[in-house]
């Protein structure tokens, strides 16, 4: 199973690199008036969703520090509400998994805050 998770992680990371390159090219094209702001925002949202999937795999592999770092980055992103607008349960998943990691690290106040926010 770890081989499958590693393969999935590699694929998602590759997709994220491509998405980031796409955002850069769209940003450059926008300066020339060739791409609208909505298209760039949609690409950034896709990058958030890829990061979410990457964080999930790290969590499942037991790589909690890396997973927590990714989840924290996602939770602090201003586009999060738009990225997960159709599936608000995913925000609860991110918060509850972050809370679990904080609990595991004996960071009880942070854990309680995340669980409270999740539910």
């Amino acid at each position: 199973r770890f081989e499958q998770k590693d393969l999935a992680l590699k694929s998602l990371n590759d997709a994220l690199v491509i998405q980031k390159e796409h955002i850069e090219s769209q940003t450059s094209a926008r300066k020339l008036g060739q791409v609208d702001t909505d298209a760039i925002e949609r690409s950034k949202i896709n990058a958030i969703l890829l990061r979410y999937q990457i964080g999930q795999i790290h969590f499942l592999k037991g790589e909690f520090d890396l997973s927590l770092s990714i989840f924290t980055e996602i939770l602090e992103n201003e586009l999060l509400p738009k990225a997960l607008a159709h599936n608000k349960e995913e925000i609860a998943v991110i918060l509850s998994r972050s809370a679990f990691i904080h609990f595991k690290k004996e960071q009880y106040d942070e854990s309680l805050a995340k669980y409270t926010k999740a539910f």
Side-chain angles (χ1 to χ4, degrees):
R1 284 194 64 139
F2 276 112
E3 290 175 8
Q4 290 175 335
K5 290 176 188 168
D6 287 339
L7 183 58
L9 197 54
K10 183 187 178 325
S11 296
L12 288 168
N13 277 316
D14 290 347
L16 185 60
V17 168
I18 292 168
Q19 189 66 41
K20 285 180 178 180
E21 290 171 355
H22 184 63
I23 291 168
E24 288 174 19
S25 70
Q26 284 182 318
T27 302
S28 296
R30 183 178 183 283
K31 291 176 184 171
L32 301 173
Q34 298 172 342
V35 175
D36 66 18
T37 305
D38 290 341
I40 296 170
E41 186 175 277
R42 283 190 302 274
S43 294
K44 288 180 179 179
I45 288 170
N46 287 337
I48 292 169
L49 297 174
L50 287 169
R51 290 291 291 159
Y52 169 71
Q53 292 172 345
I54 290 167
Q56 293 284 64
I57 292 173
H58 283 298
F59 182 87
L60 294 173
K61 288 178 66 178
E63 297 171 350
F64 298 126
D65 287 339
L66 189 50
S67 181
L68 182 60
S69 172
I70 291 169
F71 289 157
T72 300
E73 171 191 319
I74 291 169
L75 290 169
E76 292 173 353
N77 191 302
E78 64 188 29
L79 292 175
L80 177 66
K82 287 184 181 182
L84 299 176
H86 300 295
N87 201 350
K88 296 195 185 297
E89 296 85 28
E90 299 301 336
I91 295 174
V93 169
I94 292 170
L95 288 166
S96 63
R97 290 201 170 170
S98 297
F100 170 80
I101 295 167
H102 282 298
F103 181 82
K104 197 163 178 59
K105 296 172 79 173
E106 298 181 7
Q107 298 170 338
Y108 303 117
D109 290 340
E110 292 90 340
S111 179
L112 181 61
K114 292 281 191 325
Y115 273 126
T116 302
K117 196 171 181 181
F119 303 102

